[in-house]
Amino acid sequence: MTAPIQIGKHILTSKVWVAPMSGVTDMPFRLLLHRLGAGLVVSEMIASLNLSKGNVKSMERAAGAGRINPLVVQLAGREARWMAVGAKMAVEAGADIVDINMGCPARKVVSGQSGSALMRVPELALELIEATIGAVDVPVTLKMRLGWDDDMLNAPQIAKAAERAGVKMIVVHGRTRCQFYKGSANWAAVKATKDAVSIPVIVNGDIRTPDDISAAMEQSGAAGVMVGRGLVGAPWRIRDMNARIDGAPVPKALTIDEQLAIILEHYADIIDFYEPGKGIRMARKHLSAYVDLAPLDMPGTERARARSAICQMLEPADVIAALKALYAGKVLEQAA
């Protein structure tokens, strides 16, 4: 086993990290993955301008201060002053690490000259990086792509400038912005960034299985991996991923009852975290994925009906009862 990754004073327990995913990595899901052994879980992207106008207490609750350690809050923005203000507010709310988003390819983000659009203007990107670092006394990290397009693969150059400015770690998604999520992530292309700097570089994109981890690490030379949607519906996969990256024995597979216990704990956290009614809605994306991936011997049409029935329920008690029945191998009356 190689030495653990350290960011500032934080020595991380695992080299398998969880990517920020809008609408997915809310506090309950990050808390679950933290419990299951993720080395780092990053908050959903927060617009620095919006954060600067927000309430620290609500931000503290959403981010998971006191429950997730180290707590990483990711900021996006296009103006140095608001990145600085946002970073200060994130730290006041409990952030141990502030991450800068320069990788989001979404049109609504890029059209505002944030996210991966910053890779087209390295001078502005560096200005935002320096403002963020200068505003806080916690480590600042950076997430980006290979570049804007195939004619602008400037991640290594931006990484070197970021390291000189004081960035402590960099994550690179193995696609350009113009690829969005099409095709396959080019893990080998991340190596140029890894070789350009002395700080840890983490590889991201299309990493869903332990075999993916082995290939991504070998091709990129990265210090660790960042996993995203491969954990939705099966967050316990992170156990096998940790074992692979550490060269440890594969852990014993969870029984169906153990999986159900994790799902019910996650669901309870969602319902408890959100205001009445909202938790029911926010849980549906996760419930849908759990049902789709449940290790149950049932026809696809029956599984689809069960998923639809559970996701339409309006009372948490009904959802819990339906999940228990489904995992016990019973056909749901509502899905018949």
Side-chain angles (χ1 to χ4, degrees), residues 254-301:
L254 295 179
T255 66
I256 192 168
D257 288 337
E258 289 171 331
Q259 289 186 19
L260 176 60
I262 291 172
I263 293 168
L264 293 177
E265 180 182 36
H266 183 198
Y267 185 68
D269 282 343
I270 294 172
I271 297 302
D272 180 64
F273 181 74
Y274 290 103
E275 60 195 44
K278 186 175 181 180
I280 289 284
R281 299 190 300 274
M282 295 300 292
R284 287 172 180 160
K285 64 176 72 70
H286 291 286
L287 292 175
S288 178
Y290 284 132
V291 174
D292 281 345
L293 297 178
L296 301 170
D297 184 12
M298 59 193 305
T301 53

Side-chain angles (χ1 to χ4, degrees), residues 91 96 132-139:
V91 172
D96 299 300
T132 305
I133 291 172
V136 296
D137 58 1
V138 302

Side-chain angles (χ1 to χ4, degrees), residues 85-99:
V85 172
K88 288 178 181 177
M89 286 197 68
V91 172
E92 288 175 16
D96 299 300
I97 298 170
V98 173
D99 186 63

Side-chain angles (χ1 to χ4, degrees), residues 11 29 37 61 68 74 76 105 122 157 199 211 213 222 228 292 302 304:
I11 300 174
F29 193 50
R61 181 171 180 270
I68 298 173
Q74 187 185 74
Q157 292 74 32
I199 56 178
D211 286 344
I213 284 179
D292 281 345
E302 185 178 317

Side-chain angles (χ1 to χ4, degrees), residues 22 45 101-117 145 148 176-178 180-181:
S22 181
M45 179 183 68
N101 183 302
M102 282 175 43
C104 180
R107 287 184 176 87
K108 66 179 181 180
V109 175
V110 170
S111 63
Q113 300 304 309
S114 298
S116 55
R145 290 197 162 215
W148 176 257
T176 65
R177 183 272 169 182
C178 289
F180 286 87
Y181 296 98

